[in-house]
Amino acid sequence: MAGQTGPRAADRTLEVLELVAGSPSPVPAKALARSLGCALSTAYALLAPLTERGYLVRTDGGYALGYQVSALHRAFQRQMGLTDGIDDLLARMRQATRASANYVAYQGDGLVIADVRTVAADGDQRPELTVGVDPRFHAYAHGKIALAAAGPAARRRYLEQPGLRRFTPRTIASVDRLDEELRRIRRTGVALDVEEARTGLACLAAPVLGADGAVIGSVSLAVRPEDLRARRHQLIAAVKQAAREASPAHPS
């Protein structure tokens, strides 16, 4: 493959898949070659196995994601326990609390967001939930749940990179204050943030436990700060109950 073999070829192949996935429309081979900084023949050599195996499909406008991506996503959902029941639970939360309801699944050392589900109506307040490593974990309620459950080494890596950045004047930017907050979360089983990640947004979250008792995700509600102050106890009770129902060990 134009002199590329082994890990480098695999890395380039994944880069092609990511480029196509990140495009709103099919991507021509020439555009992929330009993005990769490689010859057109190399781009075609990378595209061939992806197309043959169904991860990409060739259209008149270029290359788009293929059916195997959908199969991978379904397998990922099964492994993460992300069943249709999660969506039903979030819909019930949304209806009962009149707030944006969210589910975040953690992976790896617990500080990587693997998947996100949200049920919200137009005009609802909602956090900016992104898959991957999020530098706002210490500012959002769902991120504090992950930090509270993470081991010392994982928390230390987070404090070193990305670190405690400020996003609003209310963001916790002190290690001592964060440690105190995480101890409170472990004690009470609920995390709060009031305009720490974004002005005008308040969130509360509770941990979802796997069959072994480890934290595998969280459910959260997003409201306006004044709404949290007015309905604090109701919202905390709702998010804790939803987290119990979302836990795989919860009796059906």
Side-chain angles (χ1 to χ4, degrees):
M1 185 185 298
Q4 295 181 19
T5 58
R8 178 56 179 161
D11 187 61
R12 273 296 179 88
T13 300
L14 291 172
E15 194 173 353
V16 169
L17 195 58
E18 290 169 355
L19 285 168
V20 173
S23 174
S25 58
V27 185
K30 288 183 179 179
L32 287 169
R34 285 195 300 271
S35 296
L36 293 168
C38 67
L40 183 60
S41 59
T42 301
Y44 277 122
L46 293 166
L47 287 162
L50 289 169
T51 305
E52 290 168 4
R53 296 174 72 102
Y55 292 102
L56 294 180
V57 60
R58 188 172 185 175
T59 71
D60 290 342
Y63 289 84
L65 294 178
Y67 64 91
Q68 281 288 14
V69 173
S70 178
L72 276 181
H73 183 60
R74 288 195 298 273
F76 167 77
Q77 289 180 314
R78 286 196 301 273
Q79 291 182 7
M80 296 299 298
L82 298 172
T83 64
D84 290 339
I86 292 293
D87 294 322
D88 294 340
L89 175 63
L90 295 179
R92 294 198 306 273
M93 285 179 69
R94 168 72 185 88
Q95 185 174 19
T97 63
R98 306 185 308 280
S100 171
N102 314 284
Y103 178 86
V104 173
Y106 308 128
Q107 202 172 41
D109 59 12
L111 298 182
V112 176
I113 295 179
D115 199 34
V116 170
R117 303 288 184 91
T118 296
V119 174
D122 291 343
D124 270 0
Q125 295 287 90
R126 68 187 77 180
E128 297 170 358
L129 299 168
T130 57
V131 173
V133 178
D134 192 335
R136 301 163 299 179
F137 258 30
H138 61 291
Y140 272 133
H142 67 268
K144 292 180 185 181
I145 291 290
L147 285 166
R155 280 200 303 276
R156 186 166 56 251
R157 285 195 300 274
Y158 181 87
L159 293 173
E160 292 171 353
Q161 185 62 246
L164 301 183
R165 305 177 190 174
R166 275 196 188 277
F167 303 102
T168 76
R170 302 177 71 103
T171 305
I172 294 176
S174 158
V175 173
D176 289 341
R177 278 193 61 205
L178 180 62
D179 284 343
E180 181 181 350
E181 177 84 347
L182 298 182
R183 285 194 295 272
R184 185 194 64 76
I185 291 166
R186 287 190 286 269
R187 185 176 68 253
T188 63
V190 66
L192 303 174
D193 84 73
V194 182
E195 299 187 290
E196 294 177 41
R198 197 173 80 218
T199 300
L201 177 70
C203 298
L204 59 165
V208 174
L209 305 181
D212 61 355
V215 174
I216 60 172
S218 67
V219 292
S220 64
L221 293 169
V223 296
R224 292 178 174 81
E226 58 271 21
D227 199 11
L228 176 58
R229 287 190 289 270
R231 299 194 290 142
R232 181 187 181 101
H233 296 299
Q234 176 206 352
L235 295 173
I236 287 176
V239 82
K240 282 187 168 184
Q241 176 61 29
R244 286 192 291 269
E245 292 183 31
S247 297
H250 179 77
S252 54

